[in-house]
Amino acid sequence: MSNKATKPEEKGFFEKVKETIEEFWDSTKDKAEELKDKAEDKIDALKEKAADEKAIVAKKASEAKTAVVKKADSVAAKVKTVAADVKAKADTKAKALSAKAKDEAATIKKAAITAKAKTTAKANEIADTAKTKAVDAKKAVATKTAKVAIEVKKKTNAAK
């Protein structure tokens, strides 16, 4: 007959605790990575939106300038004095549209920077929270482990 047990060895208390802590840590890291990915996606979307808005504004400014120039040319053919006045108005309007486009581009850029800062801050906050939770869990496990170790020592000393 053999003295070896036929049952598989059961995991000890410490191995179970260690696995539980590892599971907490892995899930926390996964959540942090997901938040980081979402933040990057949001920033990319804002950048794309800003580029689209900038292109639209530039196209409108270009179309407006073209329309004004055509109108100025037709008026110039009829009356030169009126054409000079219309051209001056067209230049003023083009400058105003250009300034407005620059303002809108700056506003969009500021919004993208603000969104990036907010998402980065949130990701850092979540990572910090995860770290503190992991540390708290480790402390709790260490305390419980120490108590169990003391009890085991007492029992072994009492058994001697």
Side-chain angles (χ1 to χ4, degrees):
M1 286 219 172
S2 174
N3 290 338
K4 293 182 182 177
T6 57
K7 295 181 185 177
E9 273 190 46
E10 292 187 19
K11 290 184 180 180
F13 174 76
F14 296 109
E15 286 84 11
K16 289 179 183 177
V17 169
K18 183 179 175 184
E19 286 181 0
T20 303
I21 291 171
E22 287 175 353
E23 289 172 6
F24 284 139
W25 179 250
D26 290 341
S27 67
T28 303
K29 281 181 23 182
D30 292 343
K31 286 180 183 178
E33 288 177 11
E34 287 175 16
L35 286 173
K36 182 180 175 185
D37 292 341
K38 286 181 183 179
E40 289 173 355
D41 293 343
K42 185 68 173 180
I43 290 169
D44 290 342
L46 287 173
K47 284 181 182 178
E48 289 178 14
K49 184 177 180 182
D52 293 343
E53 293 288 330
K54 189 175 180 181
I56 290 170
V57 170
K59 184 178 178 182
K60 286 182 180 179
S62 175
E63 290 174 357
K65 188 174 180 180
T66 304
V68 171
V69 169
K70 285 182 181 179
K71 187 174 183 180
D73 288 343
S74 68
V75 172
K78 294 178 184 176
V79 182
K80 286 187 177 184
T81 56
V82 176
D85 186 41
V86 170
K87 187 174 180 183
K89 289 179 183 179
D91 288 341
T92 304
K93 187 173 183 179
K95 287 179 183 177
L97 286 173
S98 179
K100 185 177 179 182
K102 286 179 183 178
D103 290 343
E104 287 181 12
T107 303
I108 291 170
K109 190 174 183 180
K110 286 179 185 178
I113 290 170
T114 303
K116 181 178 181 179
K118 285 180 182 178
T119 54
T120 302
K122 185 67 175 177
N124 288 340
E125 179 183 323
I126 289 172
D128 291 343
T129 304
K131 286 178 184 176
T132 55
K133 285 183 180 180
V135 168
D136 291 345
K138 285 180 181 178
K139 285 179 183 178
V141 168
T143 304
K144 289 179 183 177
T145 305
K147 287 179 183 178
V148 169
I150 290 170
E151 289 179 25
V152 168
K153 276 186 177 181
K154 285 180 184 179
K155 286 180 183 178
T156 56
N157 287 338
K160 286 182 182 180

